[in-house]
Amino acid sequence: MLLRRLERQPHTFGQAGKLTPSDIHTIDAIGLEGTMLMSELASRLGVTKGAITQLIDKLQAKALVTRSPHPQDSRSSIVSLTELGKEAYVAHEAMHLAYYEQLRTQLSEQEIEVFEKSIDILNTVLHDMLNH
Amino acid sequence: MLLRRLERQPHTFGQAGKLTPSDIHTIDAIGLEGTMLMSELASRLGVTKGAITQLIDKLQAKALVTRSPHPQDSRSSIVSLTELGKEAYVAHEAMHLAYYEQLRTQLSEQEIEVFEKSIDILNTVLHDMLNH
DNA sequence: GGATTACGTTTAGTTACTAAACTAAAAATG
DNA sequence: CATTTTTAGTTTAGTAACTAAACGTAATCC
């Protein structure tokens, strides 16, 4: 229920202004890899390519990402972060780290290991769930 | 990312046909308590009362819930599950149990305790997150 | 070199909400 | 007890974040 609510609420990251969860997940994926193709983003985020076009249009309008042509394949476009986009990415990473630290203060090292193992299992369970 | 995707995908529960995540969360809340007021549902699910009116209208049209007048307060309406609604509730509970069992086969009793403790902590962390 | 596949875009439609105005009933005030 | 205020739920119009399907264009595959 909490995650549901969180995943609807925009949040401010650095100078980039308010970003929706979809926005920041997109920026996160790009930032993690450096650059991304539209189709890679679609499969990574689990949405259609049409959705990615719209998302990237929006982020480009906000000057958070840029599209550049692929040198070998002129159908593809390479998406990367602008300086402003990188700032949002870093701010988001910092936030994650802060929450991870908060977890670490309340759990021992062994407990964290168990937690991570549990999350892995949960991950496969949820994956099964998605594929019915 | 997985949870995001799961929380968009409808799923079949018993004879009730396809239910969206919002549908099944609503049914779950009612089933857990037996009956619920509209306003209780709104705060439990973290949405506006307008959203609840629309949700319950939809579930009522599908014959999954009923509205009945509150004996003392004629502004309120008491929402409860029909037999079909209860069937969906039970099917959903069974699904949860099945996934919990799947976790249990892969974790020791102590590990489950640690996992539950971790989830509690994560819960408060996410709660903080929501309140900025 | 023509058919097929893949990349990205466009468009129209859907879903799941919110915000705000509203009705009516209950509770508080004085 | 009359009046103001609060509370419960509904209605309506608008929005965000998608999807599905058709499209244009470029690459790949016998």
Side-chain angles (χ1 to χ4, degrees):
Chain A
M1 230 60 248
L2 258 174
L3 282 172
R4 246 178 106 78
R5 259 190 258 185
L6 274 169
E7 281 298 318
R8 283 169 212 285
Q9 200 131 44
H11 194 283
T12 302
F13 293 98
Q15 297 300 305
K18 290 223 166 187
L19 298 178
T20 66
S22 295
D23 291 343
I24 199 63
H25 287 141
T26 307
I27 287 172
D28 194 51
I30 304 165
L32 220 65
E33 301 287 333
T35 63
M36 279 256 170
L37 301 180
M38 301 293 278
S39 49
E40 289 174 338
L41 279 172
S43 76
R44 167 75 79 93
L45 301 179
V47 296
T48 60
K49 48 217 179 101
I52 294 298
T53 298
Q54 295 167 39
L55 252 167
I56 294 298
D57 283 353
K58 190 174 69 163
L59 293 179
Q60 200 168 26
K62 285 189 182 182
L64 295 165
V65 306
T66 51
R67 270 187 261 227
S68 48
H70 189 290
Q72 272 82 49
D73 188 340
S74 60
R75 294 169 305 177
S76 304
S77 47
I78 298 174
V79 184
S80 41
L81 298 180
T82 62
E83 284 310 309
L84 194 58
K86 278 178 196 159
E87 195 190 316
Y89 173 71
V90 169
H92 180 234
E93 289 295 293
M95 196 193 75
H96 269 207
L97 257 175
Y99 286 116
Y100 184 67
E101 280 308 307
Q102 211 176 321
L103 261 182
R104 271 202 25 188
T105 61
Q106 297 184 61
L107 292 174
S108 73
E109 218 150 302
Q110 300 96 52
E111 286 176 324
I112 288 187
E113 259 176 57
V114 171
F115 182 49
E116 286 176 350
K117 179 182 170 189
S118 309
I119 292 293
D120 275 353
I121 296 172
L122 192 60
N123 207 47
T124 65
V125 169
L126 291 180
H127 223 285
D128 289 357
M129 209 160 156
L130 197 61
N131 308 327
H132 188 183
Chain B
M1 228 62 244
L2 259 175
L3 281 172
R4 245 178 106 78
R5 258 190 259 185
L6 275 169
E7 281 298 319
R8 284 170 211 284
Q9 201 130 46
H11 194 282
T12 302
F13 294 98
Q15 297 302 305
K18 290 225 165 185
L19 298 178
T20 67
S22 295
D23 291 343
I24 199 61
H25 286 141
T26 307
I27 286 171
D28 193 51
I30 303 166
L32 219 68
E33 299 288 332
T35 63
M36 279 256 171
L37 302 181
M38 301 294 279
S39 48
E40 288 174 338
L41 280 172
S43 76
R44 165 77 78 95
L45 302 178
V47 296
T48 60
K49 51 221 175 99
I52 294 298
T53 297
Q54 295 167 40
L55 252 167
I56 294 299
D57 283 352
K58 190 174 69 163
L59 293 178
Q60 200 168 26
K62 287 189 183 180
L64 294 165
V65 306
T66 50
R67 270 186 258 229
S68 50
H70 190 289
Q72 273 82 50
D73 186 340
S74 60
R75 294 169 306 176
S76 304
S77 48
I78 297 173
V79 183
S80 41
L81 298 180
T82 62
E83 283 312 309
L84 194 59
K86 276 178 198 160
E87 196 190 317
Y89 173 71
V90 168
H92 179 235
E93 288 293 293
M95 195 193 76
H96 269 208
L97 258 175
Y99 286 116
Y100 184 67
E101 280 308 308
Q102 209 174 324
L103 260 182
R104 270 200 28 184
T105 62
Q106 298 184 61
L107 292 174
S108 73
E109 217 150 305
Q110 299 96 53
E111 286 176 324
I112 289 187
E113 259 177 56
V114 172
F115 182 50
E116 285 176 350
K117 180 183 170 190
S118 309
I119 292 292
D120 275 353
I121 295 172
L122 191 61
N123 207 48
T124 66
V125 167
L126 292 179
H127 223 286
D128 288 358
M129 209 159 156
L130 198 62
N131 308 326
H132 192 133

